[in-house]
């Protein structure tokens, strides 16, 4: 499926790929880049840049830092997720602190999700 995107975000997405957070780097280099499913980093979909995207599984993985847990952050995430899921995509959110403190558990969870998709 072809997803519309805002071309004005392409340069920002490239910059974000070069400047991943510590948690994004860990998930990318220690898990997703080795997955049998092909993932893209910082993919532009609609007016958003998603952290990781797998077209084959129609799956988006978002890593959430502390700003996502404020009232405004929760509302923005809900709106963003609803809009993206209208494109028949699944969005899963993983807190950054889970990457830091329970990486093996995160990988097991993602293995399960990828097997089910």
């Amino acid at each position: 499926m072809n997803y519309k995107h805002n071309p004005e975000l392409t340069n920002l997405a490239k910059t974000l790929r070069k400047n991943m957070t510590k948690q994004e780097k860990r998930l990318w280099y220690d898990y997703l880049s080795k997955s049998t499913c092909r993932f893209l980093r910082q993919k532009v979909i609609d007016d958003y840049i998603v952290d990781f995207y797998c077209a084959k599984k129609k799956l988006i993985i978002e890593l959430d830092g502390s700003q996502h847990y404020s009232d405004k952050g929760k509302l923005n995430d809900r709106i963003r997720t609803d809009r993206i899921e209208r494109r028949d995509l699944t969005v899963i959110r993983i807190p950054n602190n889970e990457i830091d403190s329970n990486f093996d558990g995160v990988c097991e969870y993602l293995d399960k999700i990828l097997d089910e998709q």
Side-chain angles (χ1 to χ4, degrees):
M1 180 178 273
N2 187 11
Y3 299 108
K4 292 182 182 181
H5 73 276
N6 181 341
E8 294 175 12
L9 293 176
T10 302
N11 285 335
L12 177 57
K14 288 178 184 178
T15 299
L16 291 173
R17 269 182 233 123
K18 293 177 185 176
N19 298 294
M20 290 190 294
T21 66
K22 176 179 82 165
Q23 292 82 9
E24 289 170 339
K25 286 179 185 176
R26 177 124 194 244
L27 186 60
W28 177 252
Y29 289 110
D30 294 343
Y31 181 80
L32 294 176
S33 67
K34 298 172 182 158
S35 175
T36 57
C37 296
R38 181 174 182 252
F39 279 88
L40 300 174
R41 299 176 289 155
Q42 308 301 334
K43 171 74 174 158
V44 179
I45 297 177
D46 288 333
D47 289 320
Y48 304 107
I49 300 172
V50 301
D51 292 334
F52 302 102
Y53 169 68
C54 177
K56 179 179 178 183
K57 299 290 185 169
K58 296 184 176 183
L59 180 67
I60 291 170
I61 300 171
E62 290 282 84
L63 300 187
D64 291 346
S66 60
Q67 73 275 14
H68 292 270
Y69 299 104
S70 68
D71 289 340
K72 183 178 180 184
K74 288 177 188 178
L75 176 62
N76 289 342
D77 285 347
R78 189 169 353 116
I79 292 167
R80 173 186 170 112
T81 297
D82 289 346
R83 184 167 175 197
I84 290 170
E85 286 184 340
R86 278 189 245 139
R87 294 193 162 280
D88 195 30
L89 298 168
T90 300
V91 177
I92 61 170
R93 307 192 85 80
I94 299 171
N96 279 345
N97 64 353
E98 284 295 309
I99 299 291
D100 293 335
S101 66
N102 186 24
F103 187 72
D104 290 340
V106 168
C107 294
E108 289 173 17
Y109 170 70
L110 292 175
D111 285 341
K112 182 179 177 189
I113 296 290
L114 291 170
D115 286 343
E116 293 173 356
Q117 291 290 107

